[in-house]
Each structure stands twice: as C-alpha cells, then as structure tokens.
Amino acid sequence: MTKYESEYSSFPNKKITKHNFADIDDDIAPVINQINALRSQGQYSQAAQLLQANKEVLSRFIVDAETFRTWEDEIYNAQKYARQVQQSVHFEENEDDVDCLEGDVWVGGE
C-alpha cells in the first residue's frame, strides 16, 4: 500500500488545495510595504510580528514556506497516485473520431 505525505496534503483522499492568490491591491499595499521596509532595515523580528498579526489577510498575497511545503507534498502525492492509477486506452479499428493512438495510457481514476 502506498504511503502518501499527509502533513500538508490530503491528496488523494481530498482535492488538492486551491490557494486563490491575488495581486497586491491598494488596501494591502501599506502593510506589505511596511513589512518590506522592516526587512530592508534588518528588523526581521518586527517584520515577522507584523506578518503574524496579519497572517489571514496576507495569505492571499504572499507565498510562504507552508504554501511551498503544501505544493511539494501535493505534487509528490499526485506523482505517486498517477503511477498507480493507469488505464490503457482501447478502441475499435472502425472508430474514426478517436483522438489518441493505440497503446496510449491515460492517467485517471474515478
């Protein structure tokens, strides 16, 4: 039985996380500018505190280590899943509207 990574991913038991990232807008720009200013001045603790205080609002605008770990685990799980769930495509010779070649393998499941 295959063991999937589960710390940041629930795939294949649940759908892959959709993050819905957005471009920075006028509402959030002052906070992001303040964080960047603190970082550029070497005030990393203060920048981290500001990030933590605004974590929910910033999650749509900033990719953090947790997001990268989620992507990494979900890609890894998807690769393992795809290697296990393979279907060969079979079709009759008289089928004209088939958009594949004999012997093609489609990855899929349910």
Side-chain angles (χ1 to χ4, degrees):
M1 176 151 177
T2 300
K3 181 174 180 334
Y4 294 99
E5 297 299 317
S6 60
E7 184 175 0
Y8 292 92
S9 173
S10 297
F11 184 82
N13 298 320
K14 293 184 180 177
K15 289 184 177 179
I16 290 176
T17 305
K18 187 168 184 199
H19 294 276
N20 296 315
F21 290 108
D23 290 331
I24 296 170
D25 58 26
D26 290 339
D27 295 330
I28 197 65
V31 176
I32 292 174
N33 288 338
Q34 187 177 5
I35 291 166
N36 289 338
L38 290 168
R39 286 178 175 165
S40 69
Q41 297 165 11
Q43 298 177 6
Y44 302 110
S45 295
Q46 293 89 333
Q49 289 171 357
L50 191 55
L51 275 165
Q52 192 59 38
N54 293 281
K55 186 175 183 173
E56 290 299 315
V57 177
L58 290 170
S59 65
R60 291 183 49 227
F61 303 98
I62 297 178
V63 177
D64 59 5
E66 186 172 328
T67 304
F68 280 111
R69 284 297 313 273
T70 300
W71 290 340
E72 182 179 51
D73 283 0
E74 289 182 342
I75 290 168
Y76 178 78
N77 287 349
Q79 288 173 327
K80 289 181 91 169
Y81 181 80
R83 292 188 73 167
Q84 292 180 20
V85 183
Q86 294 183 347
Q87 314 173 40
S88 292
V89 178
H90 301 281
F91 54 92
E92 300 292 325
E93 287 183 31
N94 60 356
E95 291 183 65
D96 294 331
D97 62 343
V98 177
D99 191 20
C100 61
L101 301 173
E102 189 169 357
D104 279 357
V105 175
W106 288 6
V107 177
E110 306 163 284

